[in-house]
Amino acid sequence: NVLTQSPGTLSLSPGERATLSCRASQSVSSNYLAWYQQKPGQAPRLLIYGASSRATGIPDRFSGSGSGTDFSLTISRLETEDFAVYYCQQYGTSPFTFGPGTKVDIK
Amino acid sequence: QLHLQESGPGLVKPSETLSLTCTVSGDSISSDLYYWGWIRQPPGMGLEWIGSIYSGGSRYYNPSLRSRVTISMDTSKNQLSLRLNSVTAADTAVYYCARQRDYFDSWGQGTLVTVSS
């Protein structure tokens, strides 16, 4: 199941709203879709699982939505620490696959 | 608190075998609540799932790597292992181990493995 993310890069200012898209080539079984944040030199960090459930300790400015083949991650008001690369991943069907990532950088 | 730490050679020659260990603390890999997985990331690129193992011994691998990869676990040491045979430069990547509840909820810091003569 191939995942496509858009845009490739999103240039925004702190305080703005970010909306990231993830589209799957086939329907994601049971909406088993996760989002991860990765900063330079660090491992990915789980943000969202099950398309819309926040992982432990994740601020409520992060929210996920979607079903079937179309999913999105929204950051309601960007904080400085949110500028990073974001990956979606489907775990409904093996092989588990990741999207190519969206980089959110400072405008 | 859960901690995963990858270790192994940082340089492997082409055609040889890449071998890595992941030492887990703060949780037992024998737990039937989780799988444990390996994921890699070539420099400047995205993430690729390699394979996963369950405490009962079930393993499943990415078909793109299945012919070359073996994942095992040593419950006495609370460690996972990854072996990747016949490596080429395309296998140069940061290799991560992670705890898996279907999604990957905790990751090690990763270890860079370079394939070069």
Side-chain angles (χ1 to χ4, degrees), chain A residues 32 34 36 38 41-46 48-50 87 89 91 94-101, chain B residues 39 41 45-49 52 60-63 96 100-110:
Chain A
Y32 281 169
Y36 302 85
Q38 187 177 35
Q42 297 184 17
R45 177 176 71 142
L46 176 69
I48 300 287
Y49 63 92
Y87 295 96
Q89 179 231 340
Y91 52 96
S94 182
F96 304 141
T97 49
F98 293 86
Chain B
I39 303 101
Q41 184 173 35
M45 297 180 65
L47 300 159
E48 179 182 33
W49 171 67
S52 301
Y60 53 115
Y61 301 127
N62 192 321
Y96 297 100
Q100 183 180 354
R101 307 174 179 233
D102 297 321
Y103 49 87
F104 301 100
D105 69 349
S106 294
W107 297 60
Q109 67 183 29

Side-chain angles (χ1 to χ4, degrees), chain A residues 2 7-8 13 17 26 33 35 40 49 62 67 91 101 107:
Chain A
V2 178
S13 300
R17 181 184 186 91
Q26 307 168 42
L33 188 109
W35 290 92
Y49 63 92
F62 291 91
S67 63
Y91 52 96
K107 189 174 183 179

Side-chain angles (χ1 to χ4, degrees), chain B residues 11-28:
Chain B
L11 182 64
V12 180
K13 290 182 169 54
S15 80
E16 295 190 346
T17 297
L18 178 160
S19 295
L20 296 175
T21 298
C22 173
T23 301
V24 179
S25 57
D27 198 358
S28 171

Side-chain angles (χ1 to χ4, degrees), chain B residues 23-40:
Chain B
T23 301
V24 179
S25 57
D27 198 358
S28 171
I29 64 172
S30 300
S31 169
D32 59 5
L33 293 176
Y34 308 110
Y35 278 79
W36 301 86
W38 287 94
I39 303 101
R40 69 179 183 178

